[in-house]
């Protein structure tokens, strides 16, 4: 089996911040009047109130001034001043409750200073003789009425002002000073508001105050989490080990920074988040026994953020169960897990993951189940994962995307890797699935009116014991573009079996798909459409048993074939459509007996390209153009969604034009050194092309191992200095394909 590592991404930890806890105990000024209400209960009238209870004791506001409370009984006078704020005869602009708005004894802003002495009687923040504090810089003005603005200056050069001055005659901006007070320490340029905070260094970089608790090795992490302030941090020592975490949180925001520390997974312990937010960062969990129930449960819209978390040897019911919860995971590694239910069970929320590894694990249900949710999962790697009753990945009534997916040695009941059901809508972009099996659907099982779109896929060596060597469709809508389905088998439908719904294939290459009934398709209902699709070397088993057809499209199936061909083994017929056998429908693609040379060497995408003389070249739909503007090729590499321009080889030296141009070769000359070793690393240019390495560097990734040694001998990635992403360069790693050890 070929080892495939995950994509390497630059990742930034985000979302591990807390919020201030709201204060309580203060009466609510529900109508926002000034001065505050004096009644002890909530009022619904217009301020200010003078009666101590709700204003049911005064008549309605019949004169329409909208300014109770009124003390007059009739509230109908238009010429006699009322005691309310706004009269109907004179506008009380100074809020002094009289009708003389020209006097200088009014206190409009109720700050205790009348117009005569207050330099801004419209702002209660500004008044004469005010004691200036740092808070006044957030209100750039002459806050103490001394004729100068209060401003701040940056003395330590960190871009944040922190020393208060009271000497700007016009405004802070005009005086060249800052009006933003952002620095709590003008003697230390490393401290200011807004600077990234390392929560575990006991250094208050962002002026927010230190809120972390450092837990010594063997210390009680659970107690530290429960005692953490809202938005607090719990910090572990990376070289130490800790007992299991056992907490139940609600209305909490806590982040645990493990710094690589080891934490036990003990029986009887769990993490329950009921509306709480928990971050687990850089932690290694190791099981020590059988856990009953959910190890981690997320309910009531709680949330967990997992970053660089490794879980090993878990045994129990369910590892992570979210029901109306949210899960964000970046670099989540699960290995050697055994569950009596589902391993990761997510429903009723939103789930976003990047770099998810599950290895050597068995689940009674699914390893990853998503229901009634929106999701996005990138860089997925499954190896040696088995589901006893479901499928390794199960999607039900959910919408989302899988991007860059790699699975090997996976097993399931309905769907060797993926089961999509209950009106789900799923897209898979960029997938390699090899060595998978199921009762139905060696790779994929679709049902319940679901829709799935597969792009840029290579699915190989899959087996179904009943039907659908690669795909089983029972009432869904399945489409595939620019993909390869190779070396698959099943009793019914060596590659695909359909009982209802629709199948649509555009620029897909099928090869070596074997069945006793319908080497490629066995269609028993619905619609099947193939366009620019190659169905090569499919049909009956090598011993000639079974029904000898490359594809079997039975009655009650609407079959449409455009610019596509089905070619069986030499002892097999072509396409069976109803009761009619068509040897080569739609386009004449000679079979192997005619001498056509068109091989499929799976691991090198370059060699899957049709040779210049192949009838597959420019043999597709003329209305569909390849990337180079020519008529589309037939198969997985053609069409606008493919990348055929990188395969064009004008001089037929085995090196595509684009590759030769990139590395300074002449794409129009057969003298180009396709068989040369320009950098002396014992790899020919054509091998460098297949490996994706530079023909001018012996060690493309600079890890101390030559390209040829990595690509041909130890099978590490010659373009990635640390293939297994365990922090050790390949040349210094005793186990370069095992991320658990260096």
């Amino acid at each position: 089996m070929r080892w495939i590592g995950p994509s390497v991404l630059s990742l930034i930890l985000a979302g591990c911040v807390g919020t201030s806890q709201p204060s309580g105990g203060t009466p609510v000024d529900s109508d926002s009047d000034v001065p505050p209400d004096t009644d002890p209960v909530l009022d619904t009238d217009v301020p200010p109130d003078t009666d101590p209870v709700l204003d049911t004791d005064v008549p309605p506001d019949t004169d329409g001034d909208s300014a109770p409370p009124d003390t007059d009984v009739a509230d109908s006078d238009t010429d006699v001043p009322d005691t309310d704020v706004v009269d109907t005869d004179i506008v009380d602009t100074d809020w002094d409750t009289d009708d003389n708005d020209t006097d200088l004894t009014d206190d409009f802003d109720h700050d205790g200073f009348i117009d005569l002495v207050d330099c801004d009687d419209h702002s209660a923040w500004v008044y004469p003789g005010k004691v200036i504090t740092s808070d006044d810089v957030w209100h750039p003005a002459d806050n103490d009425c001394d004729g100068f603005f209060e401003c701040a200056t940056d003395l330590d050069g960190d871009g944040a002002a922190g020393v208060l001055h009271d000497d700007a005659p016009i405004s802070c901006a005009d005086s060249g000073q800052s009006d933003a007070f952002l620095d709590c320490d003008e003697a230390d340029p490393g401290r200011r508001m807004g600077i990234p905070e390392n929560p575990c260094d006991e250094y208050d970089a962002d002026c927010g105050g230190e809120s972390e608790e450092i837990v010594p090795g063997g210390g009680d992490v659970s107690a530290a989490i429960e005692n953490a302030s809202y938005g607090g941090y719990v910090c572990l020592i990376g070289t130490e080990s800790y007992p299991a975490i056992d907490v139940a949180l609600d209305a909490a925001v806590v982040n645990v920074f493990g710094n690589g520390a080891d934490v036990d997974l003990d029986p009887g312990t769990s993490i329950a988040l009921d509306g709480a937010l928990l971050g687990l960062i850089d932690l290694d969990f190791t099981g020590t026994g059988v856990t009953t129930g959910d190890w981690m449960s997320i309910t009531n819209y709680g949330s967990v953020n997992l970053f660089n978390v490794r879980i090993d040897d878990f045994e129990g019911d369910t590892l992570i169960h979210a029901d109306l919860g949210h899960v964000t995971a970046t670099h989540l590694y699960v290995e050697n897990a055994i569950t009596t239910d589902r391993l990761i069970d997510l429903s009723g929320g939103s789930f976003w993951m990047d770099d998810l590894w599950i290895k050597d694990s068995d689940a009674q249900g699914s390893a990853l189940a998503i229901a009634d949710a929106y999701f996005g999962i990138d860089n997925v790697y499954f190896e040696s994962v088995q589901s006893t009753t479901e499928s390794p990945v199960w999607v039900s009534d959910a919408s989302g995307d899988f991007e860059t997916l790699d699975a090997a040695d996976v097993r399931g009941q309905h769907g060797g890797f993926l089961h999509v059901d209950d009106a789900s809508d799923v897209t898979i972009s960029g997938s390699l699935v090899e060595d998978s099996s199921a009762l139905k659907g060696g790779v994929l099982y679709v049902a319940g009116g679901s829709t799935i779109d597969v792009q840029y896929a290579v699915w190989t060596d899959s087996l179904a014991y009943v039907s659908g060597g690669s795909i089983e469709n029972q009432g869904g809508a399945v489409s595939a573009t620019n993909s390869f389905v190779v070396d698959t088998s099943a009793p019914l439908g060596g590659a695909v079996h359909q009982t209802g719904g629709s199948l649509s294939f555009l620029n897909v290459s099928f090869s070596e798909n074997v069945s006793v009934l319908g080497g490629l398709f066995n269609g028993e209902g619905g619609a099947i459409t193939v366009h620019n699709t190659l169905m090569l070397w499919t049909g009956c088993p090598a011993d000639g048993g079974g029904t000898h057809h490359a594809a079997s499209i039975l009655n009650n199936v609407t079959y449409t074939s455009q610019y596509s061909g089905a070619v069986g083994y030499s002892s097999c017929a072509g396409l069976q459509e109803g009761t009619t056998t068509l040897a080569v429908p739609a386009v004449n693609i000679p079979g192997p007996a005619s001498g056509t040379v068109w091989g499929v060497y799976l691991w090198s995408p370059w060699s899957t390209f049709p040779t210049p003389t192949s009838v597959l070249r420019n043999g597709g739909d003329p209305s569909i153009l390849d990337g180079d503007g020519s008529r589309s090729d037939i198969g997985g590499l053609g069409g606008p969604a493919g990348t055929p321009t990188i395969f064009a080889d004008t001089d037929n030296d085995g090196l595509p034009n684009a590759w030769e141009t990139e590395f300074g070769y002449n794409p129009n000359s057969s003298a180009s050194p396709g068989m040369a070793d320009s950098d002396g690393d014992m790899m020919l240019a054509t091998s460098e092309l297949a490996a994706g390495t530079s023909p001018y560097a012996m060690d493309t990734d600079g890890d101390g191992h030559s390209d040829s040694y990595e690509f041909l001998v130890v099978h590490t990635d010659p373009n990635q200095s640390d293939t297994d992403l365990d922090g050790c360069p390949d040349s210094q790693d005793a186990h370069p394909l095992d991320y658990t050890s260096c």
Side-chain angles (χ1 to χ4, degrees), residues 53-120:
V53 293
L54 295 180
D55 294 300
T56 59
D57 56 335
V58 297
D61 181 20
T62 59
D63 61 356
D65 57 8
S66 301
D70 305 313
T71 59
D72 52 346
V73 175
D75 192 27
S76 60
D77 48 341
T78 58
D79 55 350
V80 179
D82 302 325
T83 58
D84 47 2
V85 175
V86 181
D87 304 335
T88 58
D89 48 351
I90 298 178
V91 178
D92 184 18
T93 58
D94 55 11
W95 284 20
D96 61 355
T97 69
D98 66 40
D99 292 329
N100 184 4
D101 297 318
T102 60
D103 56 18
L104 297 178
T105 60
D106 301 327
D107 183 11
F108 182 81
D109 56 10
H110 296 287
D111 61 3
F113 294 87
I114 61 175
D115 296 350
L116 184 64
V117 296
D118 198 338
C119 59
D120 185 353

Side-chain angles (χ1 to χ4, degrees), residues 262-557:
D262 293 321
V263 180
D264 291 339
L265 285 175
D266 288 348
T269 60
S270 64
I271 298 173
L273 307 177
D274 183 14
L277 283 72
L278 177 65
L280 298 176
I281 300 97
D282 199 15
L283 283 162
D284 292 345
F285 292 93
T286 304
T288 61
V290 179
T291 300
T292 302
D294 303 331
W295 173 67
M296 178 182 292
S297 63
I298 305 125
T299 57
N300 196 23
Y301 299 101
S303 178
V304 65
N305 176 23
L306 306 172
F307 184 87
N308 199 25
V309 172
R310 302 173 186 271
I311 301 172
D312 195 7
D313 288 328
F314 172 80
E315 186 174 355
D317 292 340
T318 302
L319 180 66
I320 300 173
H321 183 199
D323 187 4
L324 286 180
H326 306 284
V327 176
T328 302
T330 304
H331 303 312
L332 173 60
Y333 308 96
V334 180
E335 190 169 4
N336 300 316
I338 301 175
T339 65
T340 58
D341 202 335
R342 292 169 169 171
L343 181 63
I344 301 176
D345 191 1
L346 312 175
S347 64
S350 59
F351 311 105
W352 312 105
M353 299 183 181
D354 190 352
D355 195 16
L356 170 65
W357 290 52
I358 300 180
K359 291 182 62 178
D360 300 325
S361 298
D362 293 338
Q364 185 71 19
S366 296
L368 173 63
I370 303 173
D372 189 22
Y374 295 96
F375 68 92
I377 302 180
D378 298 345
N379 300 305
V380 184
Y381 180 73
F382 278 49
E383 181 183 350
S384 300
V385 177
Q386 176 174 300
S387 168
T388 304
T389 62
E390 295 179 335
S391 174
V393 179
W394 186 285
V395 178
S396 176
D397 189 22
S399 298
D401 304 323
F402 293 98
E403 229 176 277
T404 313
L405 183 155
D406 191 345
D409 187 21
V410 287
R411 307 283 181 263
Q413 274 282 344
H414 289 168
F417 176 72
L418 174 63
H419 181 116
V420 180
D421 207 339
D422 197 12
S424 295
D425 188 354
V426 176
T427 298
I428 301 177
S429 180
S431 60
L432 170 63
V433 181
E434 52 181 325
D435 188 15
S436 61
S437 65
L439 288 179
K440 295 183 178 181
V443 176
L444 171 66
Y445 184 102
V446 182
S450 296
T451 300
I452 184 164
D453 182 18
V454 179
Q455 307 164 2
Y456 310 108
V458 176
W459 295 353
T460 180
D461 193 19
S462 61
L463 165 68
Y465 295 100
V466 176
S467 59
S470 182
I471 300 171
E472 175 79 16
N473 183 28
Q474 296 195 359
V478 180
S479 63
T481 58
N482 292 96
S483 297
F484 293 82
V485 180
V486 180
D487 192 14
T488 65
S489 63
L492 300 177
V496 181
H497 179 252
Q498 173 171 280
T499 59
S502 64
L503 294 165
S504 176
F505 299 102
L506 173 64
N507 283 102
V508 176
S509 293
F510 291 95
S511 180
E512 300 178 71
N513 314 113
V514 179
S515 172
V516 296
L517 183 58
L520 176 66
F521 300 128
N522 178 235
E524 302 179 52
I528 299 175
T529 300
V530 293
H531 201 163
N532 281 7
T533 291
L534 174 68
M535 298 164 279
L536 182 67
W537 302 344
T538 66
C540 56
D543 61 6
T547 304
H548 302 177
H549 294 98
S552 181
I553 310 298
L554 303 181
N555 296 324
N556 302 318
V557 175

